[in-house]
Amino acid sequence: DWMEIERIDGRSVDIGLYRHYTDPMKPFAASIRPHLQGLAVTSATMRDSAQENETWESAEQRSGLKYLPGSPKHKYYSSPFDYKNQTKVLIINDVNKNDMMQLAAAYRALFIASGGAALGLFTAISRLKNVYESIASSLESNNIPLYAQHIDNIDTGTLVDMFRDNIPSCLLGTDAIRDGVDVPGEALRLIAFDRVPWPRPTILHKARREAFGGRQYDEMLTRLKLKQAFGRLIRRADDKGVFVMLDSALPSRLHDAFPQDVEIQKVGLNEAIDQIKSFF
């Protein structure tokens, strides 16, 4: 239980009393247990990569299986995609993520290098808006339309449809775009992330962090966000894509968010641009 003031752009817009389960899967499991005869749970990001070859503990915790009767059977299938040859992961080491002019310039250069068809992901709406205002007209002059969440008064599903149908447009977004986009083919060939998506330190998150393992819990959530974002790139066998992290502080212990056979390179922005051009 806690009290919270919600603020948007520095304005207080709501004050509330909140009550949440520390583990939301407990009431979820309780709601389906009386009706359950059989259950299959599938996901491309079911397990935390750090535990992938050792245990299904994180998968059972996050799916609520530990609150259900019986002993679950586990099965893991390797991906059919050739990530080694179809993808690149580039970590940019010479852009100051806190300098909005540098960040916007990096997004503009990356989007032009890929010829559009790019997704820009952000951990904060304010940063998304700043980058959009800085690069929209420049991209338009290069015949690359730019769409964005929280800018255009259009629902997320429609924005994604417009992005998918209008090659070589680009799209800027936050969590909903990162986790829910299915854009196969030439419409999406580059993803650029503004910074490592660490969990926001809300009161609810702090309670869950304390209950589920402290720093390891934070790292698990962050790995899963990176895994979800990377998974947007390759949706079918002939897709190709580049994943760019604009935060040089991505720790190596999170690199296993990406497939094992993908080479992860730390490079400067100019070298990244050259690699992207040659890759496509």
Side-chain angles (χ1 to χ4, degrees), residues 160-185:
V160 172
D161 289 341
M162 293 165 61
F163 169 60
R164 185 189 297 113
D165 295 339
N166 190 9
I167 301 172
S169 64
C170 294
L171 174 62
L172 306 182
T174 51
D175 292 2
I177 296 293
R178 181 195 68 219
D179 296 341
V181 171
D182 184 20
V183 183

mmCIF file of all heavy atoms in Angstrom, residues 160-185:
data_model
loop_
_atom_site.group_PDB
_atom_site.id
_atom_site.type_symbol
_atom_site.label_atom_id
_atom_site.label_comp_id
_atom_site.label_asym_id
_atom_site.label_seq_id
_atom_site.Cartn_x
_atom_site.Cartn_y
_atom_site.Cartn_z
ATOM 1 N N VAL A 160 1.949 1.937 -35.725
ATOM 2 C CA VAL A 160 2.740 0.790 -36.170
ATOM 3 C C VAL A 160 2.313 0.379 -37.577
ATOM 4 O O VAL A 160 3.155 0.056 -38.430
ATOM 5 C CB VAL A 160 2.609 -0.386 -35.186
ATOM 6 C CG1 VAL A 160 3.263 -1.643 -35.744
ATOM 7 C CG2 VAL A 160 3.230 -0.026 -33.846
ATOM 8 N N ASP A 161 1.011 0.392 -37.853
ATOM 9 C CA ASP A 161 0.520 0.055 -39.196
ATOM 10 C C ASP A 161 1.070 1.037 -40.239
ATOM 11 O O ASP A 161 1.483 0.632 -41.337
ATOM 12 C CB ASP A 161 -1.002 0.077 -39.234
ATOM 13 C CG ASP A 161 -1.626 -1.083 -38.469
ATOM 14 O OD1 ASP A 161 -0.915 -2.085 -38.223
ATOM 15 O OD2 ASP A 161 -2.814 -0.981 -38.114
ATOM 16 N N MET A 162 1.076 2.322 -39.892
ATOM 17 C CA MET A 162 1.601 3.337 -40.812
ATOM 18 C C MET A 162 3.089 3.124 -41.053
ATOM 19 O O MET A 162 3.574 3.210 -42.181
ATOM 20 C CB MET A 162 1.342 4.731 -40.237
ATOM 21 C CG MET A 162 -0.128 5.111 -40.178
ATOM 22 S SD MET A 162 -0.452 6.564 -39.124
ATOM 23 C CE MET A 162 0.509 7.818 -39.960
ATOM 24 N N PHE A 163 3.810 2.821 -39.989
ATOM 25 C CA PHE A 163 5.247 2.556 -40.089
ATOM 26 C C PHE A 163 5.518 1.332 -40.962
ATOM 27 O O PHE A 163 6.399 1.339 -41.827
ATOM 28 C CB PHE A 163 5.807 2.365 -38.680
ATOM 29 C CG PHE A 163 7.216 1.840 -38.622
ATOM 30 C CD1 PHE A 163 8.261 2.542 -39.193
ATOM 31 C CD2 PHE A 163 7.495 0.650 -37.969
ATOM 32 C CE1 PHE A 163 9.563 2.062 -39.134
ATOM 33 C CE2 PHE A 163 8.784 0.160 -37.894
ATOM 34 C CZ PHE A 163 9.828 0.869 -38.485
ATOM 35 N N ARG A 164 4.741 0.285 -40.756
ATOM 36 C CA ARG A 164 4.916 -0.959 -41.508
ATOM 37 C C ARG A 164 4.621 -0.756 -43.005
ATOM 38 O O ARG A 164 5.305 -1.322 -43.863
ATOM 39 C CB ARG A 164 3.996 -2.044 -40.940
ATOM 40 C CG ARG A 164 4.176 -3.418 -41.582
ATOM 41 C CD ARG A 164 3.097 -4.379 -41.128
ATOM 42 N NE ARG A 164 3.146 -4.640 -39.697
ATOM 43 C CZ ARG A 164 2.207 -4.256 -38.828
ATOM 44 N NH1 ARG A 164 1.136 -3.588 -39.245
ATOM 45 N NH2 ARG A 164 2.331 -4.539 -37.541
ATOM 46 N N ASP A 165 3.606 0.058 -43.303
ATOM 47 C CA ASP A 165 3.152 0.188 -44.690
ATOM 48 C C ASP A 165 3.923 1.244 -45.488
ATOM 49 O O ASP A 165 3.906 1.208 -46.723
ATOM 50 C CB ASP A 165 1.664 0.537 -44.714
ATOM 51 C CG ASP A 165 0.797 -0.587 -44.151
ATOM 52 O OD1 ASP A 165 1.276 -1.737 -44.115
ATOM 53 O OD2 ASP A 165 -0.341 -0.298 -43.722
ATOM 54 N N ASN A 166 4.580 2.161 -44.782
ATOM 55 C CA ASN A 166 5.207 3.289 -45.468
ATOM 56 C C ASN A 166 6.730 3.173 -45.408
ATOM 57 O O ASN A 166 7.405 3.869 -44.660
ATOM 58 C CB ASN A 166 4.747 4.607 -44.838
ATOM 59 C CG ASN A 166 5.183 5.808 -45.659
ATOM 60 O OD1 ASN A 166 5.683 5.672 -46.766
ATOM 61 N ND2 ASN A 166 5.006 6.993 -45.083
ATOM 62 N N ILE A 167 7.282 2.253 -46.191
ATOM 63 C CA ILE A 167 8.735 2.123 -46.284
ATOM 64 C C ILE A 167 9.261 3.326 -47.077
ATOM 65 O O ILE A 167 8.680 3.676 -48.102
ATOM 66 C CB ILE A 167 9.114 0.810 -47.008
ATOM 67 C CG1 ILE A 167 8.548 -0.385 -46.245
ATOM 68 C CG2 ILE A 167 10.627 0.677 -47.146
ATOM 69 C CD1 ILE A 167 8.699 -1.711 -46.965
ATOM 70 N N PRO A 168 10.301 4.052 -46.618
ATOM 71 C CA PRO A 168 11.232 3.743 -45.533
ATOM 72 C C PRO A 168 11.029 4.622 -44.296
ATOM 73 O O PRO A 168 11.996 5.242 -43.821
ATOM 74 C CB PRO A 168 12.567 4.055 -46.191
ATOM 75 C CG PRO A 168 12.265 5.291 -47.020
ATOM 76 C CD PRO A 168 10.817 5.183 -47.442
ATOM 77 N N SER A 169 9.844 4.725 -43.768
ATOM 78 C CA SER A 169 9.604 5.592 -42.622
ATOM 79 C C SER A 169 10.319 5.081 -41.373
ATOM 80 O O SER A 169 10.774 3.937 -41.305
ATOM 81 C CB SER A 169 8.098 5.692 -42.354
ATOM 82 O OG SER A 169 7.582 4.421 -41.986
ATOM 83 N N CYS A 170 10.410 5.952 -40.348
ATOM 84 C CA CYS A 170 10.980 5.605 -39.050
ATOM 85 C C CYS A 170 9.951 5.895 -37.973
ATOM 86 O O CYS A 170 9.034 6.708 -38.157
ATOM 87 C CB CYS A 170 12.253 6.404 -38.781
ATOM 88 S SG CYS A 170 13.621 6.020 -39.894
ATOM 89 N N LEU A 171 10.110 5.242 -36.845
ATOM 90 C CA LEU A 171 9.154 5.367 -35.746
ATOM 91 C C LEU A 171 9.909 5.484 -34.432
ATOM 92 O O LEU A 171 10.827 4.703 -34.164
ATOM 93 C CB LEU A 171 8.227 4.148 -35.717
ATOM 94 C CG LEU A 171 7.242 4.019 -34.543
ATOM 95 C CD1 LEU A 171 6.265 5.198 -34.534
ATOM 96 C CD2 LEU A 171 6.480 2.694 -34.617
ATOM 97 N N LEU A 172 9.521 6.465 -33.609
ATOM 98 C CA LEU A 172 10.071 6.632 -32.266
ATOM 99 C C LEU A 172 9.028 6.183 -31.255
ATOM 100 O O LEU A 172 7.844 6.512 -31.386
ATOM 101 C CB LEU A 172 10.437 8.101 -32.003
ATOM 102 C CG LEU A 172 11.368 8.787 -33.014
ATOM 103 C CD1 LEU A 172 11.658 10.217 -32.577
ATOM 104 C CD2 LEU A 172 12.655 8.005 -33.198
ATOM 105 N N GLY A 173 9.464 5.430 -30.239
ATOM 106 C CA GLY A 173 8.491 4.936 -29.268
ATOM 107 C C GLY A 173 9.128 4.539 -27.955
ATOM 108 O O GLY A 173 10.350 4.587 -27.770
ATOM 109 N N THR A 174 8.272 4.116 -27.031
ATOM 110 C CA THR A 174 8.715 3.684 -25.706
ATOM 111 C C THR A 174 8.309 2.219 -25.503
ATOM 112 O O THR A 174 8.363 1.431 -26.433
ATOM 113 C CB THR A 174 8.129 4.606 -24.621
ATOM 114 O OG1 THR A 174 6.699 4.723 -24.815
ATOM 115 C CG2 THR A 174 8.741 5.997 -24.687
ATOM 116 N N ASP A 175 7.867 1.857 -24.300
ATOM 117 C CA ASP A 175 7.668 0.450 -23.940
ATOM 118 C C ASP A 175 6.708 -0.301 -24.864
ATOM 119 O O ASP A 175 6.984 -1.436 -25.254
ATOM 120 C CB ASP A 175 7.137 0.342 -22.498
ATOM 121 C CG ASP A 175 8.162 0.763 -21.474
ATOM 122 O OD1 ASP A 175 9.267 1.172 -21.885
ATOM 123 O OD2 ASP A 175 7.880 0.698 -20.277
ATOM 124 N N ALA A 176 5.578 0.297 -25.190
ATOM 125 C CA ALA A 176 4.572 -0.411 -25.986
ATOM 126 C C ALA A 176 5.101 -0.767 -27.362
ATOM 127 O O ALA A 176 4.760 -1.821 -27.918
ATOM 128 C CB ALA A 176 3.306 0.434 -26.116
ATOM 129 N N ILE A 177 5.937 0.076 -27.914
ATOM 130 C CA ILE A 177 6.548 -0.204 -29.213
ATOM 131 C C ILE A 177 7.594 -1.302 -29.067
ATOM 132 O O ILE A 177 7.677 -2.223 -29.886
ATOM 133 C CB ILE A 177 7.195 1.063 -29.792
ATOM 134 C CG1 ILE A 177 6.131 2.135 -30.070
ATOM 135 C CG2 ILE A 177 7.977 0.744 -31.051
ATOM 136 C CD1 ILE A 177 5.167 1.791 -31.160
ATOM 137 N N ARG A 178 8.377 -1.212 -28.008
ATOM 138 C CA ARG A 178 9.442 -2.206 -27.795
ATOM 139 C C ARG A 178 8.892 -3.617 -27.657
ATOM 140 O O ARG A 178 9.471 -4.591 -28.152
ATOM 141 C CB ARG A 178 10.220 -1.842 -26.523
ATOM 142 C CG ARG A 178 11.369 -2.787 -26.190
ATOM 143 C CD ARG A 178 11.841 -2.587 -24.766
ATOM 144 N NE ARG A 178 10.827 -3.023 -23.813
ATOM 145 C CZ ARG A 178 10.547 -2.399 -22.671
ATOM 146 N NH1 ARG A 178 11.186 -1.298 -22.346
ATOM 147 N NH2 ARG A 178 9.614 -2.867 -21.857
ATOM 148 N N ASP A 179 7.770 -3.772 -26.990
ATOM 149 C CA ASP A 179 7.283 -5.107 -26.642
ATOM 150 C C ASP A 179 6.220 -5.649 -27.585
ATOM 151 O O ASP A 179 5.946 -6.842 -27.567
ATOM 152 C CB ASP A 179 6.708 -5.097 -25.218
ATOM 153 C CG ASP A 179 7.761 -4.788 -24.164
ATOM 154 O OD1 ASP A 179 8.960 -4.945 -24.476
ATOM 155 O OD2 ASP A 179 7.397 -4.398 -23.047
ATOM 156 N N GLY A 180 5.621 -4.800 -28.415
ATOM 157 C CA GLY A 180 4.455 -5.280 -29.147
ATOM 158 C C GLY A 180 4.468 -5.110 -30.641
ATOM 159 O O GLY A 180 3.425 -5.191 -31.284
ATOM 160 N N VAL A 181 5.641 -4.860 -31.233
ATOM 161 C CA VAL A 181 5.692 -4.575 -32.661
ATOM 162 C C VAL A 181 6.037 -5.829 -33.450
ATOM 163 O O VAL A 181 6.956 -6.558 -33.096
ATOM 164 C CB VAL A 181 6.729 -3.470 -32.945
ATOM 165 C CG1 VAL A 181 6.959 -3.323 -34.437
ATOM 166 C CG2 VAL A 181 6.266 -2.151 -32.368
ATOM 167 N N ASP A 182 5.295 -6.081 -34.519
ATOM 168 C CA ASP A 182 5.620 -7.170 -35.440
ATOM 169 C C ASP A 182 5.713 -6.567 -36.833
ATOM 170 O O ASP A 182 4.704 -6.340 -37.494
ATOM 171 C CB ASP A 182 4.553 -8.261 -35.377
ATOM 172 C CG ASP A 182 4.903 -9.456 -36.261
ATOM 173 O OD1 ASP A 182 6.085 -9.615 -36.605
ATOM 174 O OD2 ASP A 182 3.988 -10.230 -36.609
ATOM 175 N N VAL A 183 6.944 -6.282 -37.262
ATOM 176 C CA VAL A 183 7.167 -5.622 -38.549
ATOM 177 C C VAL A 183 8.204 -6.433 -39.331
ATOM 178 O O VAL A 183 9.400 -6.170 -39.257
ATOM 179 C CB VAL A 183 7.652 -4.171 -38.361
ATOM 180 C CG1 VAL A 183 7.801 -3.484 -39.717
ATOM 181 C CG2 VAL A 183 6.695 -3.393 -37.474
ATOM 182 N N PRO A 184 7.773 -7.448 -40.066
ATOM 183 C CA PRO A 184 8.722 -8.256 -40.841
ATOM 184 C C PRO A 184 9.150 -7.553 -42.118
ATOM 185 O O PRO A 184 8.522 -6.592 -42.567
ATOM 186 C CB PRO A 184 7.908 -9.517 -41.158
ATOM 187 C CG PRO A 184 6.488 -9.047 -41.172
ATOM 188 C CD PRO A 184 6.395 -7.947 -40.161
ATOM 189 N N GLY A 185 10.235 -8.062 -42.695
ATOM 190 C CA GLY A 185 10.650 -7.593 -44.008
ATOM 191 C C GLY A 185 11.398 -6.276 -43.995
ATOM 192 O O GLY A 185 11.979 -5.859 -42.991
#
